[in-house]
């Protein structure tokens, strides 16, 4: 079993049976999430006829997921990761199956729907890190950038197709997206049961028994302590958080501006589709270059491209300009995501994968959580151009940081990551 969990570097990904099972489980879960996500706001509004309540439900689910994710990494590192993947899938199947059944029987009210949604988001936030953490025991380090690029390409396809398919299902019956979501989670759990039991990853590299854990709080604190002492990781995290803040802030501004100027929903949706198309193109590129491109080069590219491709919106809010910018800015993101996540995968010890991943994920995304609030507050006061200018300034500061940091620019490609000190 050990030889299957740690295939030789020369073994192609798709010839690794463990990876194929892992990919099937992860893909089914991603499809399940896409199906139910589209329908949540529509069902919430149909139950309440209140945009405010529908919006607050979306906010509550994000808070629940992010809040649970803070502790999720510690849970992932303390328990068998295959078991956690299966539990997450079973909970998704049960909760969204319950939503489907209550809705189909006309027994669903907003309070029950809110409880189902928030509980499902909390469980998913707590356990979802087990999937990526388990990869450490399935594929060798040098294959991770390619695996991540494949994941991002798949996610782009699901993102492009998810909303239209969810809309078609919802048109037939409001409960149908939840029924399909429940089925997808069931398939995810069934695929995960065929994964080899690799424990919490502590013995994935050397076959030794896992180290004894302390208390939950001690492990939680140890994860943050370990992460906050790694200067290279923190520098990469700071750069990623600025890129996330700048890009997400600009497109939150674009979305609110289009809504405020009464652009129809189809054209607003095309902006997200343009970003999905750019991400898919980037994922195809990442599959070819991610295992050879130096990480430092990728950081310079994504930082400068983000600033350059979004700068035209400082001068024009034309719809065609917005679409082109959305397409172009998304292309390098999968390449850099593959490099950063591969670097973390390679450099973080197996028994710290979950905790480091949740800590770094929170630090990367925390500023971006406030993008909509910032954009919504500034747009009525200073207008579109000035609000865009603020977020472009964030991206400009990021470019200056990247160019001023030789330790970032010199980060090598995957075959030399063992030479880098965190």
């Amino acid at each position: 079993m050990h030889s299957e969990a740690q295939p030789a570097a020369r073994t192609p990904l798709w010839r690794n049976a463990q990876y194929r099972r892992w990919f099937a489980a992860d893909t089914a879960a991603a499809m399940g999430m896409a199906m139910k996500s589209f329908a949540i706001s529509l069902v919430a509004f149909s139950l309440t006829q209140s945009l405010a309540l529908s919006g607050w439900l979306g906010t509550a689910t994000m808070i629940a997921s992010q809040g649970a994710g803070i502790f999720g990494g510690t849970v992932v590192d303390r328990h068998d990761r295959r078991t956690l993947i299966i539990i997450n899938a079973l909970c998704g199947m049960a909760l969204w199956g319950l939503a489907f059944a209550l809705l189909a029987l006309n027994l669903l009210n907003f309070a029950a729907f809110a409880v189902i949604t928030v509980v499902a988001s909390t469980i998913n936030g707590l356990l979802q890190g087990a999937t990526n953490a388990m990869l450490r025991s399935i594929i060798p380090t040098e294959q991770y950038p390619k695996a991540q690029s494949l994941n991002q390409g798949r996610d782009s396809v699901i993102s492009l197709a998810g909303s239209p398919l969810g809309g078609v299902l919802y048109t037939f019956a409001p409960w149908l997206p939840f029924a399909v979501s429940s089925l997808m989670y069931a398939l995810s759990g069934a695929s995960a049961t065929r994964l080899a039991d690799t424990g919490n990853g502590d013995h994935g590299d050397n076959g030794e028994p896992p180290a004894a854990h302390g208390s939950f709080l001690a492990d939680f604190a140890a994860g943050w302590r370990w992460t906050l002492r790694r200067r290279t990781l923190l520098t990469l995290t700071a750069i990623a958080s600025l890129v996330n803040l700048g890009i997400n802030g600009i497109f939150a501004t674009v979305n609110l501006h289009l809504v405020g100027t009464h652009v129809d929903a189809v054209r607003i949706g095309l902006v997200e589709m343009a970003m999905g198309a750019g991400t898919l193109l980037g994922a195809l590129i990442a599959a070819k270059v991610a295992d050879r491109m130096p990480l430092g080069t990728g950081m310079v590219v994504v930082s400068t491209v983000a600033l350059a491709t979004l700068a035209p919106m400082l001068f024009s809010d034309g719809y065609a300009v917005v679409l082109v910018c959305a397409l172009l800015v998304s292309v390098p993101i999968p390449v850099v995501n593959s490099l950063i996540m591969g670097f973390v995968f390679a450099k973080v010890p197996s028994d710290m994968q979950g905790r480091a991943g949740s800590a770094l994920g929170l630090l990367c995304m925390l500023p971006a959580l406030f993008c909509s609030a910032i954009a919504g507050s500034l747009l009525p006061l200073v207008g579109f151009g000035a609000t865009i200018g603020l977020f472009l300034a964030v991206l400009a500061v990021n470019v200056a940081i990247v160019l001023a940091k030789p330790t970032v620019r010199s980060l090598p490609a995957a075959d030399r990551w063992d030479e880098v000190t965190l």
Side-chain angles (χ1 to χ4, degrees):
M1 184 176 294
H2 176 66
S3 61
E4 184 182 23
Q6 284 291 345
R10 63 180 176 273
T11 304
L13 280 174
W14 294 115
R15 292 185 183 178
N16 179 353
Q18 283 292 93
Y19 175 75
R20 293 197 304 269
R21 294 163 188 161
W22 178 92
F23 188 85
D26 193 44
T27 299
M31 292 177 65
M33 183 173 293
M35 288 299 96
K36 56 90 177 173
S37 295
F38 177 84
I40 285 176
S41 60
L42 294 175
V43 170
F45 183 74
S46 71
L47 293 172
T48 64
Q49 298 301 306
S50 168
L51 286 174
L53 284 176
S54 302
W56 274 107
L57 179 58
T59 299
T61 58
M62 288 184 63
I63 292 173
S65 179
Q66 291 291 332
I70 296 173
F71 303 99
T74 308
V75 173
V76 166
D77 285 340
R78 289 172 62 89
H79 299 284
D80 171 42
R81 289 163 180 170
R82 183 188 66 169
T83 301
L84 296 182
I85 295 171
I86 295 170
I87 291 172
N88 195 25
L90 290 175
C91 289
M93 179 187 70
L95 288 166
W96 298 114
L98 177 61
F100 140 63
L102 292 176
L103 195 56
L105 295 171
N106 292 319
L107 297 175
L108 187 66
N109 57 41
F110 179 73
F113 187 59
V115 169
I116 291 171
T117 303
V118 171
V119 170
S121 296
T122 302
I123 295 172
N124 189 61
L126 194 65
L127 304 180
Q128 65 180 347
T131 309
N132 280 337
M134 193 173 186
L135 257 187
R136 181 68 181 258
S137 303
I138 293 176
I139 62 174
T141 297
E142 56 268 30
Q143 286 187 338
Y144 189 85
K146 181 169 181 146
Q148 182 59 26
S149 67
L150 289 173
N151 294 349
Q152 291 182 107
R154 174 209 61 199
D155 290 344
S156 299
V157 172
I158 292 175
S159 176
L160 284 169
S163 292
L165 180 57
V168 171
L169 294 174
Y170 187 87
T171 300
F172 277 105
W175 50 261
L176 197 49
F178 300 112
V180 173
S181 179
S182 182
L183 175 62
M184 289 297 104
Y185 280 114
L187 292 175
S188 175
S191 297
T193 60
R194 302 181 63 216
L195 288 168
D197 184 355
T198 54
N200 69 352
D202 293 348
H203 61 292
D205 296 331
N206 53 26
E208 295 298 324
H213 288 290
S215 69
F216 183 92
L217 290 178
D219 283 352
F220 176 79
W224 277 94
R225 195 162 50 244
W226 186 94
T227 303
L228 295 176
R229 289 175 178 173
R230 268 60 191 180
R231 295 181 62 182
T232 302
L233 279 183
L234 291 179
T235 301
L236 291 175
T237 300
I239 293 169
S241 67
L242 289 173
V243 171
N244 285 333
L245 176 58
I247 293 177
N248 290 335
I250 284 174
F251 283 101
T253 303
V254 166
N255 185 67
L256 291 172
H257 176 69
L258 293 176
V259 170
T261 53
H262 307 293
V263 174
D264 64 86
V266 173
R267 296 179 75 199
I268 294 175
L270 285 176
V271 176
E272 184 175 343
M273 288 191 67
M275 296 185 75
T279 303
L280 179 58
L281 176 59
L284 296 175
I285 296 172
K288 300 292 185 182
V289 306
D291 55 350
R292 301 191 305 272
M293 177 180 284
L295 175 55
T297 301
M299 300 304 293
V300 172
V301 168
V302 75
S303 297
T304 54
V305 168
L307 179 60
T309 56
L310 296 178
M313 283 194 281
L314 184 62
F315 309 102
S316 172
D317 64 349
Y319 184 72
V321 172
V322 169
L323 284 182
V324 172
C325 290
L327 175 68
L328 295 179
V329 76
S330 305
V331 173
I333 292 176
V335 180
V336 176
N337 281 347
S338 297
L339 290 171
I340 293 179
M341 295 182 72
F343 182 73
V344 171
F345 176 87
K347 301 298 292 183
V348 175
S350 292
D351 64 342
M352 197 66 69
Q353 286 277 324
R355 284 169 285 177
S358 65
L360 294 172
L362 177 65
L363 294 173
C364 282
M365 290 306 300
L366 190 59
L369 294 178
F370 300 95
C371 287
S372 292
I374 295 171
S377 300
L378 288 180
L379 267 173
L381 297 176
V382 299
F384 181 81
T387 307
I388 292 291
L390 172 67
F391 291 112
L392 284 174
V394 172
L395 293 175
V397 169
N398 180 64
V399 170
I401 292 173
V402 171
L403 296 179
K405 284 277 188 181
T407 53
V408 172
R409 299 198 312 274
S410 62
L411 287 169
D415 59 355
R416 293 178 50 213
W417 281 345
D418 59 343
E419 305 170 10
V420 180
T421 302
L422 290 181

